[in-house]
């Protein structure tokens, strides 16, 4: 544990080597936080399941580096998204003690190679830059949605105007065509003439078949 001379900040460094589940390490973190400590959990295991749910980093030997290197858990914002960065462990701790990096919970967990990270370490400057970026994205999204909604309303209004004009045109056409159509289709007397098709006189139908021939003229 480290405590500033003035006692303003207290930091606890924890190297977790034994297996532990997320709920247990989170409970321990919350207890230390309630006592006024900032916790940093360290692991050198590639697949530690608790890396990310609590403020933590993974360290490893890299090449010919003299010191352990923070290889996972430290990130920066590059103007588009969070990118992982590496730093020698002493440098990382110096940043932590100087409050140049702090734990941060992104809006969505970072998709890293080994696991999603719900908590990362980054500089306050990057947190501010990311927040500004998100606000600008939200503003652009709102402007775009407002513009699209306006265009949709204008299209609907135009379609409604076309439908209204078509309805007026159809009504006018029907009003003008109905009298003329009635004059051509209705007979002057109001009664339809007899069918023009051939029919047998009733007195012939009343006769039997043997008598009909006698009354017909053969041309």
């Amino acid at each position: 544990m480290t405590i500033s001379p003035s006692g303003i900040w207290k930091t606890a460094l924890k190297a977790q080597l034994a297996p532990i589940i997320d709920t247990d390490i989170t409970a321990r973190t919350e207890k230390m936080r309630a006592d006024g400590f900032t916790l940093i959990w360290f692991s050198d295991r590639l697949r530690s399941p608790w890396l990310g749910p609590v403020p933590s980093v993974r360290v490893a030997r890299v090449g010919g580096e003299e010191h352990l290197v923070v290889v996972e858990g430290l990130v920066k914002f590059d103007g588009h998204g969070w990118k992982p960065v590496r730093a020698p462990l002493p440098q990382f701790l110096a940043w932590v003690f100087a409050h140049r990096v702090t734990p941060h919970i992104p809006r969505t967990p970072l998709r890293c190679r080994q696991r999603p990270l719900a908590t990362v370490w980054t500089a306050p400057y990057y947190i501010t830059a990311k927040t500004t970026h998100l606000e600008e994205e939200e503003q652009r999204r709102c402007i775009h949605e407002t513009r699209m909604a306006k265009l949709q309303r204008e299209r609907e209004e135009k379609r409604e105007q076309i439908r209204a004009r078509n309805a007026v045109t159809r009504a006018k056409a029907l009003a003008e065509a109905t009298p003329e159509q009635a004059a051509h289709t209705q007979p002057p007397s109001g009664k339809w003439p007899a069918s023009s098709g051939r029919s047998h006189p009733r007195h012939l139908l009343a006769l039997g078949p043997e008598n009909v021939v006698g009354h017909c003229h053969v041309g």
Side-chain angles (χ1 to χ4, degrees):
M1 296 184 184
T2 59
I3 302 176
S4 66
S6 61
I8 295 177
W9 56 263
K10 297 181 290 185
T11 303
L13 310 178
K14 296 281 189 177
Q16 184 64 36
L17 303 179
I20 188 172
I21 60 176
D22 293 0
T23 53
D24 288 348
I25 198 169
T26 300
R28 291 173 61 183
T29 302
E30 292 301 327
K31 184 178 184 304
M32 294 292 292
R33 187 175 293 159
D35 293 335
F37 282 89
T38 297
L39 244 68
I40 309 175
W41 295 91
F42 296 90
S43 176
D44 61 352
R45 309 298 170 85
L46 186 62
R47 299 187 181 279
S48 297
W50 50 264
L51 197 68
V54 294
S56 52
V57 293
R58 183 169 67 87
V59 296
R61 292 284 180 186
V62 177
E65 291 285 344
E66 178 183 359
H67 302 285
L68 289 171
V69 175
V70 174
V71 294
E72 189 175 359
L74 181 63
V75 300
K76 69 175 182 179
F77 180 67
D78 67 352
H80 301 283
W82 294 108
K83 301 296 181 182
V85 294
R86 293 183 174 187
L89 182 57
Q91 180 66 71
F92 172 74
L93 292 175
W95 289 340
V96 171
F97 297 148
H99 300 285
R100 294 181 61 185
V101 295
T102 60
H104 175 62
I105 301 177
R107 179 177 295 186
T108 56
L110 269 64
R111 302 298 304 178
C112 296
R113 180 176 300 178
Q114 301 299 332
R115 80 211 90 229
L117 295 179
T119 305
V120 295
W121 289 85
T122 192
Y125 165 79
Y126 292 130
I127 297 174
T128 301
K130 177 63 172 178
T131 301
T132 302
H133 177 74
L134 291 175
E135 291 174 350
E136 291 174 349
E137 277 192 338
E138 181 68 15
Q139 185 178 13
R140 287 193 294 269
R141 185 188 64 82
C142 291
I143 292 174
H144 175 72
E145 290 182 352
T146 301
R147 183 181 296 115
M148 295 305 296
K150 181 181 179 182
L151 290 175
Q152 182 65 22
R153 288 195 303 269
E154 290 175 350
R155 283 194 292 264
E156 289 293 337
E157 291 174 357
K158 186 174 182 180
R159 282 195 290 264
E160 186 61 31
Q161 291 172 359
I162 292 173
R163 284 194 292 266
R165 286 197 299 267
N166 289 343
V168 171
T169 301
R170 284 194 301 269
K172 183 178 180 181
L174 289 174
E176 293 175 350
T178 299
E180 181 180 359
Q181 182 179 11
H184 286 288
T185 57
Q186 296 294 332
S189 62
K191 296 182 180 181
W192 291 102
S195 173
S196 59
R198 288 188 175 183
S199 61
H200 297 285
R202 290 188 178 181
H203 70 281
L204 293 180
L205 294 177
L207 299 174
E210 66 280 2
N211 297 320
V212 170
V213 177
H215 286 77
C216 293
H217 298 282
V218 180

